[in-house]
Amino acid sequence: MRRRTSTRVPVPQEPLVPQPAAPADPLTLTVRDPAELEREVGLARLFELHYAAMLRLAVLLGADDPENVVAEAYYQIYRKWRRLRDIEAAEAYLRSTVCNLTRMRIRHLQVARKHVETPAEEVVASAESTALLHDDQRVLIDALQQLPTRQREALVLRHWLGLKESEIAAAMGISGGSVKTHTARGIAALSQAMEARR
């Protein structure tokens, strides 16, 4: 009788394919273009330094959704980063953008409210914007919100941010003489409103 011998056929093993190494930090951006890297670093620094101030600016100017206004301003500066002539001017550009976006948002809401037949619901401020305002400031903020948009902008930029007349003119897109006019009229109206509330 013949004996069957079993022969083992070697099973080919899958070759080991080197896996790409995971980045040390999963949040690290892999940017190859040096200009892109400069933009990312510059925007991160700009956000770190000025986000809170821009949020307060939007709140004081009367934005109903200040977080979205500021986010849109950062997005716009992100898109136009390569066209900025002076990186140091980024803060002024950001401030101007927040003013413009807030103004456009307020205009949009005024037009929208004119065409709504049902009474508008009371706007509830976000927790973040409410935390920015103390109780002793509420009367002043209410009076400030009653001012015309340009007067409110001029007062906030001058007295809250402490900008010079030329910086205010650049942020608002108006002449220096108009800044003086809006500021003077705003102070007079604000003083009158504050006296009436006492």
Side-chain angles (χ1 to χ4, degrees):
M1 231 180 166
R2 246 187 199 181
R3 228 173 174 195
R4 280 190 173 174
T5 59
S6 71
T7 58
R8 275 190 156 169
V9 177
V11 178
Q13 293 183 354
E14 294 182 28
L16 294 175
V17 177
Q19 297 293 326
D25 181 8
L27 298 177
T28 301
L29 294 174
T30 54
V31 181
R32 294 187 179 111
D33 182 13
E36 193 70 22
L37 181 61
E38 177 193 347
R39 176 168 72 169
E40 297 294 331
V41 170
L43 280 170
R45 184 76 177 138
L46 193 65
F47 185 86
E48 179 184 319
L49 291 174
H50 302 294
Y51 176 77
M54 294 302 134
L55 184 64
R56 285 187 193 101
L57 176 61
V59 168
L60 289 171
L61 292 177
D64 65 324
D65 56 350
E67 294 88 358
N68 287 337
V69 167
V70 175
E72 176 66 23
Y74 274 98
Y75 173 70
Q76 286 191 17
I77 201 168
Y78 175 82
R79 285 184 25 226
K80 297 177 181 179
W81 189 264
R82 291 183 186 189
R83 288 184 275 176
L84 284 175
R85 292 186 182 140
D86 181 14
I87 301 304
E88 299 300 319
E91 178 188 0
Y93 178 82
L94 188 61
R95 186 172 39 246
S96 177
T97 304
V98 168
C99 288
N100 290 335
L101 289 172
T102 301
R103 190 179 315 121
M104 288 188 315
R105 179 71 180 151
I106 289 171
R107 280 190 205 136
H108 169 75
L109 290 175
Q110 289 171 343
V111 170
R113 286 180 185 140
K114 285 180 184 177
H115 298 296
V116 174
E117 293 181 13
T118 58
E121 295 180 19
E122 185 177 330
V123 176
V124 178
S126 69
E128 190 170 315
S129 60
T130 303
L132 294 171
L133 303 174
H134 298 290
D135 289 335
D136 58 342
Q137 296 172 326
R138 292 192 196 283
V139 173
L140 176 63
I141 298 300
D142 288 342
L144 188 64
Q145 297 302 325
Q146 301 306 315
L147 294 177
T149 304
R150 292 292 193 171
Q151 291 176 16
R152 181 174 56 242
E153 287 178 7
L155 289 177
V156 168
L157 293 172
R158 174 69 184 105
H159 295 287
W160 183 74
L161 286 180
L163 297 182
K164 299 175 190 168
E165 186 180 299
S166 60
E167 294 172 320
I168 296 170
M172 293 177 65
I174 59 177
S175 69
S178 295
V179 170
K180 288 179 184 177
T181 301
H182 290 306
T183 304
R185 288 180 182 169
I187 287 175
L190 194 58
S191 299
Q192 194 174 32
M194 295 297 288
E195 284 298 320
R197 288 180 182 247
R198 287 186 183 192

